[in-house]
Amino acid sequence: MKAICSQIFQVLKPGGKLVCGAPHPMMFAASSNIDLRLGDYCKTNEPEGGLRVDPSAYFKTISDYIETLKGCGFKIVDMKEARSPSFRSHTHRSDFPNHLVFDVEKPKNSATNAGLNSIPCKIAWSSFERSNPERALRLDLPENAAAELHCLATELVRRGVTSDTYCPTDEDVAHLENVVAFAGKLRRHLSQDVGAAHVRRLPMEPEDDLKVSAAIAKLSYYILCSLVGRVDGGARGRLFDVRDARLDAKKQDNVLFSVSQGEAPWHSDGASVDRSYDAVGLFCIHPAEEGGISFVSNAASAFEKLKSRLPGFLMHELLRPIPRDVMENGKGIGVEGGLKKLSRTQDVLVLRSRYNSYPIFVEEAGGGGERRGRLRFRYMRHWIETGHRKAGLTISPLLRIAMDALDAALDEETVFDGRLERGEMFFCNNNLFAHGRSAFVDSGPGPRRHMVRAWIQLQELS
Ligand SMILES: [Fe+2]
């Protein structure tokens, strides 16, 4: 009973109603020896999970129903004891209530977007941009800005400063006039104009000394990102090295796709109900020997397409809160430490996954002088599937169909499909674009695939 009520609660939108009937305890009393039944009143029964049973009624007390409904989050609006005075059989007495009818509601305030108060503005691509995505996305770093970045980063690394320890000074900013101008352009590109950018020409040192060349490149990248917005290092550090750690995100718990060689299907970054990133940047220090192709799709365009294609009850699946897997902060390479292991035991994960519920799309219509409306897209199908499993819920067939349609629409709205080369970066608005990566192979003696990711909050500067 609890599993069914819980699944219905997940499927309903806030304010949605459920009216349901259930056998009244008195029905059982009427059909058997009343003294015997009432003598065993508190002995409720229910088949064990996984057992094949013939459809039957199982005895429950009124408290069982009320506590279960309330425990799943429902507000009980009304309850009736139904009787059928004109009907009488060996299981029904006309003077006994034989069914309970509940009128319950999912509270309107049960949306789970706490901490994410502002929905970002939509960006609609023009037909020219849709026909020429490469041109829309291209935003090369000007030579003078590239020279400023390289000069400062080289000097700082020589003094022992790294991307983890760097604190910008007024003097640094004064020497970065062209970088500041480019960063402003990139910020507008990501938040208002296009939503994604393929940036090339960050100077790269020869790879004679891999450590030093990577340190200079990472610091240059960090300085640029920190002028675009606030680099959010709260969950996994300022910059995250996307390198194969010989792990499998599909088979191991709490392992990120970014530290494996496997394919990372369409997703946005971030997996927590309480945390969202405005933009994600990926910088190539060294590409893979083979594969590792980056994909980017315009999720806002995919959303518009789905609205015109799917019936309302399927769109609802993409708009209702759904449980996600819980990923621990850190390096994303599994679970370490006793306390962390305890927090990932089955009992605790049921609660944590259910709390970690939020919709794939949140849309707000334009209003108050705002033409475009607002949209937030947060998706990773694998974490939705494992999140349901950990929450003890099954994915409804409707949600599965809706996610199939979403994946197909994201394929159709692909705007970038290519391999980032050394010194190239890709930035995208994490609320409006999906990204992914094909599997890769690195078996040769040369340097391994090394990308660096940054999460950027566009409305703040450090
Ligand atoms: Fe990602």
Side-chain angles (χ1 to χ4, degrees), residues 267-269 280 435 453:
H267 67 282
S268 58
D269 275 9
V280 54
H435 62 278
R453 184 189 63 213

Side-chain angles (χ1 to χ4, degrees), residues 161-336:
V161 178
T162 70
S163 53
D164 287 327
T165 58
Y166 175 64
C167 291
T169 64
D170 289 347
E171 197 187 341
D172 292 346
V173 174
H175 286 107
L176 295 170
E177 192 186 338
N178 294 295
V179 181
V180 170
F182 177 76
K185 195 172 168 185
L186 179 53
R187 189 185 319 121
R188 279 192 304 280
H189 206 75
L190 294 174
S191 59
Q192 298 167 35
D193 300 339
V194 178
H198 181 197
V199 180
R200 303 181 305 171
R201 300 182 188 158
L202 189 87
M204 299 293 286
E205 292 281 306
E207 288 183 294
D208 308 336
D209 186 334
L210 280 177
K211 234 175 158 179
V212 172
S213 69
I216 294 173
K218 278 177 73 170
L219 187 49
S220 303
Y221 175 57
Y222 175 76
I223 294 170
L224 174 61
C225 292
S226 64
L227 293 170
V228 173
R230 180 174 65 80
V231 177
D232 192 327
R236 301 187 191 278
R238 286 178 167 183
L239 299 182
F240 186 85
D241 288 304
V242 178
R243 279 200 278 216
D244 176 30
R246 302 278 192 261
L247 296 168
D248 188 334
K250 287 203 169 164
K251 292 188 182 147
Q252 287 159 284
D253 185 33
N254 197 41
V255 167
L256 297 178
F257 281 82
S258 48
V259 297
S260 74
Q261 284 195 353
E263 180 198 8
W266 290 125
H267 67 282
S268 58
D269 275 9
S272 165
V273 64
D274 297 320
R275 194 184 281 266
S276 167
Y277 306 106
D278 292 343
V280 54
L282 195 65
F283 168 49
C284 176
I285 289 187
H286 203 281
E289 187 184 319
E290 198 184 316
I293 305 293
S294 293
F295 306 107
V296 178
S297 171
N298 190 331
S301 300
F303 181 65
E304 294 305 320
K305 212 167 222 180
L306 290 168
K307 281 202 291 186
S308 66
R309 269 182 194 166
L310 297 183
F313 65 91
L314 280 178
M315 274 311 290
H316 171 63
E317 295 298 305
L318 303 175
L319 297 166
R320 70 176 173 89
I322 44 178
R324 317 290 183 109
D325 204 343
V326 179
M327 306 302 291
E328 308 300 341
N329 293 342
K331 295 189 188 312
I333 51 173
V335 185
E336 285 166 5

